[in-house]
Amino acid sequence: MRAEGEKIQRLSIMRNVQIQLASRPLGEPVVDNFKTIELEVPDLQEGQVLVRHHYLSLDPYMRGRMNEGRSYAQPQPLNEVMIGGTVGVVEASRHPRYQVGDRVVGMGGWQLYSIVDGEGHALHKVDDSVIPLSAYLGPVGMPGVTAWVGLNEIIAPREAETVVVSAASGAVGSVVGQLAKARGCRVVGIAGGPDKCDYVTRTLGFDACIDHKIHGDLKSMSTALKAACPGGIDGYFENVGGTILDAVMLRMNAFGRIAVCGMIAGYNGEPLPMAHPSLILVSRLKVQGFIVSEHMHLWSSALKELGAMVATGRLKYRESISQGLASAPEAFLGLLKGKNFGKQLVKLT
Ligand SMILES: NC(=O)c1ccc[n+]([C@@H]2O[C@H](COP(=O)([O-])OP(=O)(O)OC[C@H]3O[C@@H](n4cnc5c(N)ncnc54)[C@H](OP(=O)(O)O)[C@@H]3O)[C@@H](O)[C@H]2O)c1
């Protein structure tokens, strides 16, 4: 009898699975930089909330966190759960603000469950009756707000100006271009491969898209940009760096604005020298880097506009969804090589 009772009790213990950073990559990361741990979900303390994650967001910034060195954020500690945005459902709550069944966005990390202090601002309730839950990690989440902030605050495009965006089919780039179109701009994307370029023009409605796999060198990319941007470039939303930035700078109009959002081409430590920095002076360019988490005062305005656009179908988006937590490392490595087509997510339920 006692043995049976113990068995029943053990079966009722909830198991969590999490992926931790096991070692720091030298150059390109590999799956062995990660390890999988299984552990018990502890009992909830007063004020805590248990969240079952439905989707994990994979984002390029995670590559930077895997490094030891100084950056704008603390490195990801070794042997701890990998940082990451999540959406999920409250499974149990000992905080009056959260009820079982609430949909919540948070930074739950690469794991099936997280326990969160309900008192702070770590969780945000969301409504998935009109906007799908996963979109809160994409166009109506951090990537969407990133697009909104860089475009509106740094590029600040005027009607009929030309805006170029790299990684144009991705989570951030796709939103940048559609917002710029909604503001009356000519919008040109840069993306890798014919399928992504077709999607950028036909589905997202950009005026043109340049395939960087065809136009891989400076001369070819610069020529393609000249053809796609007959009036020059007024605003550039930079996601990639390297040759693409050099080529865009050659075509920037006087007093152009460059929002430096990311330089993914250099995230594995590749040097990204700038070919013609003197153009910043000659063309009187504004070149400004930004980190979306340092613009918290703009999030609610951005999310209001983005949410309305997604809910009414005016903002289109696409997702690459890998299945199961175990697929996260491979999917993340793929994201750094352009294998994703749209917002990269991991489905956990
Ligand atoms: N500053 C901030 O606060 C902030 C916040 C969020 C994101 N970001 C940055 O925004 C950029 C886009 O992020 P995202 O989440 O929207 O990712 P994403 O565009 O959905 O995916 C990354 C894309 O980058 C392109 N890429 C990858 N490696 C490349 C390489 N070596 N050369 C050229 N292109 C490469 C690929 O697109 P193609 O196949 O089209 O080349 C890939 O699909 C990243 O640089 C990220 O770090 C910055």
Side-chain angles (χ1 to χ4, degrees):
M1 281 301 284
R2 194 159 162 253
E4 189 61 25
E6 272 175 8
K7 191 174 154 205
I8 289 166
Q9 206 182 354
R10 224 174 289 128
L11 280 177
S12 71
I13 290 171
M14 287 173 74
R15 308 294 298 178
N16 189 13
V17 181
Q18 63 178 218
I19 295 181
Q20 302 183 342
L21 184 63
S23 58
R24 301 200 186 276
L26 295 169
E28 211 175 283
V30 292
V31 288
D32 286 347
N33 292 130
F34 303 96
K35 65 178 175 192
T36 302
I37 302 289
E38 216 184 301
L39 61 174
E40 270 175 29
V41 176
D43 289 337
L44 279 192
Q45 305 297 309
E46 194 59 39
Q48 289 185 328
V49 181
L50 174 68
V51 182
R52 170 82 168 101
H53 302 153
H54 284 214
Y55 291 94
L56 163 69
S57 174
L58 296 178
D59 297 272
Y61 75 82
M62 294 163 174
R63 175 63 190 87
R65 300 288 177 93
M66 293 170 81
N67 292 340
E68 181 91 72
R70 226 180 117 240
S71 184
Y72 60 84
Q74 290 295 319
Q76 158 75 42
L78 289 174
N79 305 313
E80 286 186 19
V81 63
M82 275 293 295
I83 185 176
T86 46
V87 281
V89 176
V90 171
E91 188 113 335
S93 174
R94 293 190 64 191
H95 192 284
R97 203 187 301 149
Y98 297 95
Q99 314 303 320
V100 170
D102 282 349
R103 272 64 176 145
V104 286
V105 179
M107 292 296 291
W110 295 28
Q111 56 184 339
L112 301 183
Y113 294 94
S114 59
I115 289 182
V116 184
D117 177 5
E119 203 45 47
H121 297 286
L123 289 179
H124 296 277
K125 284 195 215 181
V126 294
D127 177 357
D128 67 346
S129 59
V130 182
I131 294 172
L133 201 52
S134 60
Y136 290 100
L137 295 176
V140 195
M142 183 278 283
V145 178
T146 302
W148 195 98
V149 169
L151 184 73
N152 292 326
E153 294 294 298
I154 299 172
I155 296 177
R158 292 180 283 273
E159 204 177 332
E161 285 192 328
T162 296
V163 172
V164 172
V165 54
S166 50
S169 71
V172 175
S174 60
V175 179
V176 172
Q178 292 179 87
L179 288 176
K181 277 306 293 175
R183 283 151 181 62
C185 297
R186 175 173 176 79
V187 179
V188 175
I190 299 171
D195 292 348
K196 288 186 176 180
C197 276
D198 265 9
Y199 168 72
V200 162
T201 50
R202 285 174 205 225
T203 306
L204 302 181
F206 289 30
D207 297 286
C209 184
I210 300 169
D211 183 348
H212 68 78
K213 291 188 174 167
I214 294 176
H215 301 285
D217 62 82
L218 181 56
K219 191 157 180 281
S220 174
M221 177 55 76
S222 165
T223 306
L225 282 165
K226 188 175 182 187
C229 309
I233 301 169
D234 302 293
Y236 175 49
F237 195 105
E238 170 65 304
N239 285 321
V240 172
T243 307
I244 295 177
L245 175 60
D246 290 334
V248 169
M249 279 181 56
L250 289 170
R251 300 285 162 216
M252 290 295 292
N253 290 330
F255 303 105
R257 291 84 63 197
I258 301 180
V260 183
C261 173
M263 293 209 163
I264 197 166
Y267 286 3
N268 287 329
E270 305 87 337
L272 295 180
M274 202 184 255
H276 304 291
S278 58
L279 285 170
I280 298 172
L281 172 64
V282 173
S283 305
R284 286 87 84 212
L285 302 178
K286 176 172 111 174
V287 182
Q288 189 180 328
F290 73 103
I291 299 298
V292 68
S293 54
E294 293 175 347
H295 298 264
M296 292 315 292
H297 62 292
L298 298 171
W299 278 59
S300 67
S301 312
L303 289 173
K304 199 169 161 202
E305 180 175 2
L306 295 164
M309 287 178 79
V310 168
T312 53
R314 283 177 292 135
L315 186 66
K316 309 227 167 12
Y317 64 99
R318 187 183 160 119
E319 298 169 332
S320 273
I321 302 180
S322 72
Q323 295 294 327
L325 185 66
S327 70
E330 281 286 4
F332 175 64
L333 303 186
L335 170 73
L336 299 175
K337 292 183 179 150
K339 288 190 183 160
N340 64 310
F341 191 166
K343 172 67 208 156
Q344 182 66 56
L345 299 168
V346 182
K347 192 162 188 336
L348 300 175
T349 50

